[in-house]
């Protein structure tokens, strides 16, 4: 394209730019011309503003305002808004780029454009044109439009300035118009008649006030002569007024009579001023008229009323007095003479305060009237000449003359002698009631019909943690955990007159919660009208705690019973497995390749037996050997073993009480408790820590019981086991003693360790509690009943001899076939002879048959037809002195119920290993069963 | 868009009625676009409206100096274009009793209908007497942007008399436009192939379609001088109408593309009326119309159609041929039109003789108003 053509096009574009004075058309038309000439289908313009400058660096993204967009729908939707674009699009010089990826970061149609033509508009902004392909034109687009773009920059600035200036002019004009409109509105809305007239008296304007005062509408009045308003009976003053105005004068507050349209006469106060033209000449008059008919009437009525008032004042039984600004009495009525014992002449001109018991108070009230305009019920005591005193309440106010100037104080006193006496009585009664309320330990509160607290006692302050002043006036329901429930109770009181034992929870300021039961009823005033609700709360924290404790105990008891039942059935099964397994093993050749399998069966069965023992321990059905032991000795003796359990990473600190702590306990089980706790502590301190075990004497009393919700008063030995491990949440602590509850991963624990601890402690008549904080650690406290330290010391356990056989005849009575056959096999294996029976009656029959030969009867405690105990009694009756050995898979309670626990007979608990059974049999036959088990 | 079209000497003929009934029974949702010759408009428009009313067919149509069927110009009869499903269509004119101007109303109604998807085309038929079509197109582009492709023509009388040239089922109107929103339509190609000489002038004062001054002198004075110096032809008031169509103005774009503006009337003040707006200060040139190359024009159109929607061979083509171009080319126009049919291999070329053409920018999406051009698109 030749130079001439380019210049012509530039000229055309410059003319487009130069012809616009508003920014948006300028940008639109300019962009359209660029698109027309370049054949780019789409374009946009970004402008810098005083508030927003383009960023300096090209790599940043920039939030810039899209001033104009044409040709791309997505882009046109963003017009006028801030868009985030790569800063390199708007920075730098003119450039034609083929970069689809960059263009895709613009808020335009995606994956459509390939070419971007950037044309900076000097310092003002940038124009960006987009196209799906590079233009084929030979025109250097990046250079050719520079002059036009420079013009565009200037035009943009001019348009921006012009628009700002136009905006300011429009704003100024709007303000001015608003001012005129307001003025016109003021004139229109004025109650005064505001009219204007020519100098010849022709009415030219007439406001609504004039319509109201004179009764003529604007249409009726305009163009009429002002004498229209003149009553015929008075001289025409209108022309005289106009003459005065013409001479440059004013008329102020001229009171005269005027005529309304309806013929009524009205008094008006007229103010007339000249209206000047722009050159200062007077061209008319404005008149403001105020209707004073009412005021004049009032003044007349006032005069009439004055005389009447004086008679009323004199008739008043209340002492009335007027006092001048100097504090001297200016007038009194007869009642004042009576109250003071002084005559009117004696009082007038004297200082008013002289007639009160405390003149300073009287003077203060008088000054208050001057400060505030009046006082109400101001208490004073009038001093009678004879020394008597009359309590009064004064109402006083300033009184003024017609101009409004203060000319003194008018004061009226009301004799309140009787009221005062009644009040004192009430106060005494009230103080008494208050002391009763305050003495109450229960939170008491009164609530108004609007639900706001009207009064509280000290117990309420304690319960909520908030002061009386803070509570009164606030919504009562705000202080409960569930305000809706509180509100429902309050509404119930209104419906039914009262509520009883309504459960709520008071929310303490410190976040604490107090469970309470509310009794509430309506209370009424003397006339019987309801004036609110009186509510008394009873703190049931302790009761709740006890209920919770009971619930927990019952739960544990139930679980224990279940566990004990399961253990019994398992014992029978395990007895068979262990027994036959042992026989099988013994008969197998040492080289037998199946021997290992049998050993594994026995190992598993023994582990299962240990589990059932754990369940029995938890269910407190385990047979205990109670001895007097020193708890300190037991713990000290266990210390080395505990160190091995917890490992090297955990520090063990054992601290025992200085004095022996004697308890009746099975020392083995106490050791079991400590080992289980130590194992748990070790698992909680996988990264090391500290395990502290301490003993000390502890006394439980009612205070302890109240605080903890459990405990039988007495002397206890307390063991504290505290670790610095991971700790537990409240949910976990709550369930920690339940059997099979474990937080360890599957396979890492049986879930019985803590249940065993619990069972053992309970079986020892003790208590255990746990306190744990996640991330801090866990502390267990065990309380075991203490006995006197002076009593005998613990016996040392003797090593047990190896099982030995025999040749005696033994009756085995067992209802479980498998167990019976096993027992028979074991005994026969060791040389004994056996007679077997499957129930109680069969046992007696067998005994009868071999009575003389039988040396020992092994009787299952629970059997069909006849129980072990009955069979035993019958056998002993038939053959006194015969040896009896009871067996039981049932829990300890079963032995106790059957009377076996306290009998002289030995007992072996199932599942008993063959060795244990043989030893027990041998001991019984040899008469070595000093202990019952 | 599935369509068909048929030419009839009269839409009221039994043959036409039978065809309409047959179409209607086959395509219950169908509608019609009717192109009516100026000579038959008074009989044919009512006949079409009556026939369509009887069959409950929506119809929209307009009047042209001639219609095109089988690549031939026909001065009598009607072309009926069937849509299997009538697309969204509007007729807006200055007679509409609306608070806003009809172009505004047209723009808003279309914008509401278009949605955000691309792929459709906006087919516009303006009454040629509308003086500011380029401005209306600018406004539509500001609002619709690239959501549609643009194509269209001007309808009316060859004598440039104002006549009611737009109609629908019930109305016949003038001074407005018809809009059809064609779904899944690729748009059209526009081509004129008029060549531009080097000499440029500037339209220093314009008013819509009227060039008042060129290089600050009365427009006709400069026009006459230029024609004489460039082509040796002397134009005066008496032979203006005879010659002007052969020496059209071209509005020069920086990309060397030309928008043709044919002068059609000379005013006593020396100003010139053209078909289409001339923006103030436009760079003008006097086009070398006699040198227009028909073969090149047809080849450019066929190539454009191929680029736009594939090979047109065997397809039907909707074509509008500029009346000014036809006057200028005389018998060559018939040959050019026949060549369009031959070189494209189209089964049929049908359309009308138009008084202004609308298409995209020759390269991309900006809608422009042309004279002296052909507008073509595949139909069906």
């Amino acid at each position: 394209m030749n130079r001439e053509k380019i210049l012509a096009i530039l000229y055309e574009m410059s003319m487009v730019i130069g012809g616009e004075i508003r920014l948006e058309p300028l940008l639109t038309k300019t962009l359209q011309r660029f698109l027309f000439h370049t054949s780019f289908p789409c374009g946009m313009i970004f402008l810098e503003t005083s508030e927003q400058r383009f960023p300096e660096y090209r790599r940043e993204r920039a939030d810039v305002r899209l001033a104009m967009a044409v040709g791309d729908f997505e882009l046109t939707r963003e017009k006028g808004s801030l868009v985030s674009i790569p800063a390199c699009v708007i920075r730098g010089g003119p450039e034609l780029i083929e970069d689809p990826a960059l263009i895709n970061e613009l808020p335009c149609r995606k994956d459509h454009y390939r070419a971007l033509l950037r044309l900076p508009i000097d310092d003002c902004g940038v124009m960006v044109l987009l196209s799906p392909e590079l233009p084929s034109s030979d025109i250097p687009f990046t250079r050719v439009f520079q002059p036009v773009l420079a013009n565009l920059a200037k035009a943009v600035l001019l348009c921006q300035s012009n628009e700002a200036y136009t905006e300011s002019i429009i704003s100024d004009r709007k303000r001015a118009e608003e001012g005129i409109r307001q003025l016109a509105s003021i004139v229109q809305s004025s109650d005064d008649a505001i009219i204007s007239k020519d100098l010849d008296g022709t009415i030219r304007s007439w406001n609504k006030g004039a319509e109201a005062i004179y009764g003529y509408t604007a249409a009726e009045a305009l163009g009429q002569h002002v004498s229209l308003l003149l009553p015929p009976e008075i001289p025409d003053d209108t022309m005289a007024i106009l003459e005065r105005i013409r001479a440059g004068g004013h008329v102020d507050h001229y009171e005269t009579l005027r005529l309304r349209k309806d013929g009524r006469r009205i008094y008006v106060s007229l103010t007339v001023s000249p209206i000047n033209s722009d050159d200062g000449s007077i061209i008319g008059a404005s008149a403001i008229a105020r209707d004073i008919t009412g005021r004049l009437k009032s003044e007349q009525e006032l005069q009439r009323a004055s005389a009447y008032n004086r008679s009323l004042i004199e008739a008043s039984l209340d002492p009335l007095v007027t006092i001048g600004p100097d504090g001297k009495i200016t007038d009194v009525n007869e009642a004042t003479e009576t109250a003071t014992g002084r005559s009117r002449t004696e009082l007038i001109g004297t200082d008013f305060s002289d007639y009160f018991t405390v003149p300073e108070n009287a003077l203060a009230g008088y000054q208050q009237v001057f400060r505030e305009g009046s006082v109400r019920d101001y208490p004073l005591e009038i001093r009678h000449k004879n020394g008597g005193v009359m309590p009064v309440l004064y109402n006083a106010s300033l009184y003024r003359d017609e101009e409004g100037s203060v000319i003194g104080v008018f004061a009226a006193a009301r004799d309140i002698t009787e009221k005062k006496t009644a009040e004192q009585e009430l106060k005494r009664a009230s103080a008494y009631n208050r002391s009763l309320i305050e003495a109450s330990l229960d939170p008491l509160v009164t609530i108004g019909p609007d639900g706001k607290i009207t009064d509280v006692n000290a117990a309420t302050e304690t319960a909520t943690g908030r002061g009386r002043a803070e509570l009164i006036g606030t919504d009562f329901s705000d202080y409960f955990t569930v305000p809706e429930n509180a509100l429902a109770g309050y509404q119930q009181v209104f419906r039914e007159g009262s509520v009883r034992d309504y459960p709520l929870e008071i929310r303490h300021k410190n976040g604490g919660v107090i469970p309470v039961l509310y009794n509430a009823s309506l209370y009424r005033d003397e006339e019987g009208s309801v004036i609110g609700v009186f509510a008394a709360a009873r703190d049931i924290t302790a009761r709740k705690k006890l209920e919770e404790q009971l619930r927990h105990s019952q739960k544990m008891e139930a679980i224990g019973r279940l566990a004990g039942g399961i253990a019994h059935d398992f014992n029978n099964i395990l007895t068979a497995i262990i027994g036959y397994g042992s026989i099988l093993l013994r008969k197998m050749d040492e080289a037998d390749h199946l021997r290992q399998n049998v050993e594994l069966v026995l190992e598993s069965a023994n582990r299962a037996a240990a589990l059932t023992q754990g369940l029995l321990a938890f269910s407190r059905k385990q047979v205990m050997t109670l001895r007097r032991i020193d708890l300190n000795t037991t713990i000290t003796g266990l210390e080395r073993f505990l160190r091995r359990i917890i490992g090297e990473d955990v520090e063990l600190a054992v601290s025992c009480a200085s004095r022996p702590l004697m308890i009746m306990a099975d020392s083995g089980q106490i050791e079991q408790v400590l080992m289980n706790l130590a194992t748990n502590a070790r698992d909680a301190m996988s990264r090391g820590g500290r395990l502290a075990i301490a003993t000390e004497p502890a006394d439980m009393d009612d205070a302890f019981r109240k605080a903890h919700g459990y405990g039988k008063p007495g002397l206890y030995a307390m063991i504290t086991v505290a670790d610095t491990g991971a700790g537990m949440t409240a949910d976990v602590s709550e369930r920690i003693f339940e059997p099979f509850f474990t937080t360890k991963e599957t396979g890492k624990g049986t879930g019985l360790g803590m249940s065993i601890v619990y069972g053992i402690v309970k079986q020892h008549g003790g208590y255990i509690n746990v306190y744990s904080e996640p991330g801090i650690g866990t502390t267990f406290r065990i309380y075991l009943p203490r006995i006197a330290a002076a009593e005998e010391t613990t016996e040392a356990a003797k090593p047990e001899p190896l099982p030995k056989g025999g040749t005696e005849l033994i009756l085995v009575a067992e209802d479980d076939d498998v167990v019976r056959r096993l027992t028979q096999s074991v005994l026969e294996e060791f040389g004994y002879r056996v007679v077997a029976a499957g129930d109680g009656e069969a046992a007696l029959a067998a005994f009868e048959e071999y009575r003389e030969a039988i040396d020992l009867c092994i009787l299952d405690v629970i059997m069909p037809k006849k129980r072990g105990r009955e069979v035993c009694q019958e056998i002993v009756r038939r053959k006194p002195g015969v040896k009896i050995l009871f067996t039981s898979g049932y829990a300890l309670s079963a032995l106790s119920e059957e009377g076996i626990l306290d009998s002289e007979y030995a007992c072996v608990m199932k599942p008993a290993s063959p060795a244990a059974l043989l030893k027990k049999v041998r001991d019984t036959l040899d008469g070595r069963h000093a202990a019952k088990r | 868009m599935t369509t068909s079209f048929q030419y009839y000497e009269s839409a009221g003929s039994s043959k036409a009625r039978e065809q309409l009934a047959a179409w209607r029974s086959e395509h219950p949702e169908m509608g019609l676009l009717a192109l009516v010759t100026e000579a038959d408009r008074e009989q044919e428009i009512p006949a079409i409206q009556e026939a369509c009313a009887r069959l409950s067919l929506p119809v929209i149509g307009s009047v042209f100096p001639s219609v095109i069927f089988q690549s031939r110009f026909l001065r009598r009869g009607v072309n009926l274009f069937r849509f299997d499903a009538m697309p969204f269509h509007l007729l807006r004119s200055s007679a509409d009793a609306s608070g806003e101007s009809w172009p505004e109303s047209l723009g808003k109604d279309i914008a509401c209908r278009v949605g955000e998807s691309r792929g459709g085309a906006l087919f516009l038929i303006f009454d040629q007497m509308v003086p500011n079509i380029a401005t209306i197109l600018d406004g539509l582009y500001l609002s619709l942007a690239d959501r549609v492709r643009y194509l269209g023509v001007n309808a009316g009388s060859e004598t440039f008399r104002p006549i009611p040239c737009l109609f629908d089922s019930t109305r016949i109107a003038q001074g407005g436009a018809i809009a059809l929103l064609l779904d899944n339509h690729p748009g059209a190609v526009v081509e004129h192939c008029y060549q531009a000489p080097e000499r440029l002038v500037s339209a220093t004062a314009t008013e819509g379609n009227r060039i008042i001054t060129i290089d600050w002198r009365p427009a006709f004075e400069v026009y006459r001088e230029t024609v004489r110096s460039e082509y040796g032809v002397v134009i005066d008031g008496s032979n203006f109408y005879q010659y002007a169509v052969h020496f059209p103005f071209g509005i020069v774009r920086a990309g060397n593309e030309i928008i043709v503006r044919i002068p059609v009337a000379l005013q006593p003040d020396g100003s010139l009326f053209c078909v289409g707006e001339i923006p103030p200060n436009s760079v003008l040139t006097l086009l070398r119309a006699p040198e227009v190359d028909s073969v090149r024009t047809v080849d450019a159109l066929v190539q454009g159609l191929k680029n736009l929607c594939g090979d047109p061979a065997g397809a039907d083509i909707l074509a509008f041929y500029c009346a000014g171009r036809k006057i200028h080319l005389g018998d060559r126009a018939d040959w050019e039109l026949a060549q369009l049919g031959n070189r494209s291999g189209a089964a049929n070329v049908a359309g009308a003789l138009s008084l202004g053409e609308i298409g995209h920018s020759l390269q991309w999406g900006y809608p422009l108003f042309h004279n002296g051009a052909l507008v073509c698109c595949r139909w069906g």
Side-chain angles (χ1 to χ4, degrees), chain A residues 84-95:
Chain A
S84 174
I85 59 168
C88 64
V89 172
I90 49 169
R91 298 303 305 179
E95 197 173 7

Side-chain angles (χ1 to χ4, degrees), chain A residues 1-2 4-5 8-9 11-12 15-16 28 32-33 35-42 69-74 76-77 109 112-113 131-139 141 145, chain B residues 115-116 118 138-139 141-147 149 196-202 204 216 251-259 279-283 361-366 368:
Chain A
M1 179 172 277
N2 63 32
E4 185 193 357
K5 206 182 271 184
I9 289 170
Y11 172 77
E12 180 220 324
M15 293 305 285
V16 169
T28 308
Q32 282 176 328
R33 291 319 286 168
L35 297 180
F36 176 81
H37 277 297
T38 59
S39 287
F40 277 72
C42 158
V70 175
D72 178 281
F73 179 58
E74 279 77 2
T76 53
R77 282 195 300 191
R109 183 178 178 181
H112 180 63
Y113 303 106
S131 164
E133 56 192 81
L134 274 175
S136 56
S137 170
D138 57 346
I139 297 177
F141 285 140
F145 296 115
Chain B
E116 295 185 10
R118 294 181 171 88
D138 279 347
Y141 196 58
L142 282 176
S143 154
L144 304 177
D146 56 346
R147 283 186 284 172
R149 300 174 183 94
E198 288 302 311
R199 184 176 172 194
L200 301 173
V201 290
S202 178
T204 42
W216 299 278
I251 302 173
V252 179
R253 301 167 73 194
N256 263 339
E257 289 158 5
I258 303 295
I259 305 294
N281 303 297
S282 290
V283 183
S361 156
L362 294 184
Q363 287 184 48
W364 298 305
Y366 205 96
L368 294 171

Side-chain angles (χ1 to χ4, degrees), chain B residues 172-235:
Chain B
I172 306 175
Q174 66 185 86
I178 283 170
L180 280 152
L181 210 48
L182 309 177
D183 289 338
N184 297 318
H185 195 281
V189 288
V190 182
E191 192 54 81
H192 57 74
C193 283
Y194 279 45
Q195 299 302 302
E198 288 302 311
R199 184 176 172 194
L200 301 173
V201 290
S202 178
T204 42
T206 68
E207 199 176 74
N209 292 1
R210 182 169 156 237
I211 308 173
I212 301 166
T213 63
I214 295 173
D215 290 346
W216 299 278
R217 294 165 57 207
F220 179 64
E221 203 176 302
V222 179
Y223 179 70
R224 187 172 54 187
E225 276 179 19
T226 313
V227 171
R228 188 169 56 194
S229 67
E230 292 275 327
Y231 305 107
V233 175
V234 178
I235 298 178

Side-chain angles (χ1 to χ4, degrees), chain B residues 113-135:
Chain B
R113 191 72 188 193
V114 164
E116 295 185 10
S117 64
R118 294 181 171 88
L122 179 62
F123 182 19
L124 297 159
I125 303 177
F126 284 93
D127 180 345
Q128 63 157 338
M129 302 311 291
V130 173
N132 56 340
I133 294 169
T135 303

Side-chain angles (χ1 to χ4, degrees), chain A residues 457-513:
Chain A
N457 69 345
T460 304
E461 293 178 297
T462 309
T464 58
R466 294 166 202 275
R468 181 180 159 81
E470 197 180 346
L471 292 165
I472 287 176
T474 61
D475 198 313
F476 83 100
S477 64
D478 289 345
Y479 305 104
F480 295 94
T481 53
V482 187
E484 296 75 19
N485 290 355
L487 204 59
Y490 176 74
Q491 286 161 350
Q492 191 179 332
V493 176
F494 273 89
R495 268 199 319 275
E496 299 170 10
S498 65
V499 294
R500 289 287 170 271
D501 294 336
Y502 190 88
L504 287 172
E505 289 176 333
I506 295 174
R507 193 165 46 78
H508 193 276
K509 195 176 187 176
N510 64 11
V513 169

Side-chain angles (χ1 to χ4, degrees), chain B residues 162-350:
Chain B
I163 59 166
C165 58
L166 309 171
F167 64 93
D168 62 12
S169 301
T170 55
R171 293 176 296 165
I172 306 175
Q174 66 185 86
I178 283 170
L180 280 152
L181 210 48
L182 309 177
D183 289 338
N184 297 318
H185 195 281
V189 288
V190 182
E191 192 54 81
H192 57 74
C193 283
Y194 279 45
Q195 299 302 302
E198 288 302 311
R199 184 176 172 194
L200 301 173
V201 290
S202 178
T204 42
T206 68
E207 199 176 74
N209 292 1
R210 182 169 156 237
I211 308 173
I212 301 166
T213 63
I214 295 173
D215 290 346
W216 299 278
R217 294 165 57 207
F220 179 64
E221 203 176 302
V222 179
Y223 179 70
R224 187 172 54 187
E225 276 179 19
T226 313
V227 171
R228 188 169 56 194
S229 67
E230 292 275 327
Y231 305 107
V233 175
V234 178
I235 298 178
D236 55 27
S238 61
N239 64 9
F240 175 82
Y241 296 97
Q242 184 187 342
Y243 284 112
V245 73
H246 301 295
F247 302 105
F249 287 114
I251 302 173
V252 179
R253 301 167 73 194
N256 263 339
E257 289 158 5
I258 303 295
I259 305 294
V260 180
R261 288 288 179 263
I262 300 173
V264 289
L266 167 62
Q267 297 295 103
D269 62 356
S271 61
L272 295 169
F273 267 101
C274 299
V275 179
E277 282 171 279
I278 298 93
N281 303 297
S282 290
V283 183
L284 299 179
T285 184
L286 209 59
L287 294 170
R288 294 177 189 278
E291 296 169 18
V292 71
D293 182 339
S294 292
V295 173
R296 197 178 142 210
T297 308
V298 170
D299 284 349
L301 284 169
V302 173
Q303 187 57 49
L305 283 171
K306 282 182 182 170
N307 294 344
L308 203 63
C309 46
D311 193 341
D316 291 332
I317 292 178
L318 173 65
F320 290 95
Y321 194 103
C322 175
R325 185 183 184 93
K326 183 169 186 298
I327 293 168
H328 169 60
L329 291 179
D331 292 343
R332 270 175 60 206
D334 296 309
W335 183 83
E336 195 174 57
L337 187 60
Q339 285 304 303
L340 177 62
N342 293 338
R343 297 177 89 90
S344 65
N348 198 350
V349 175

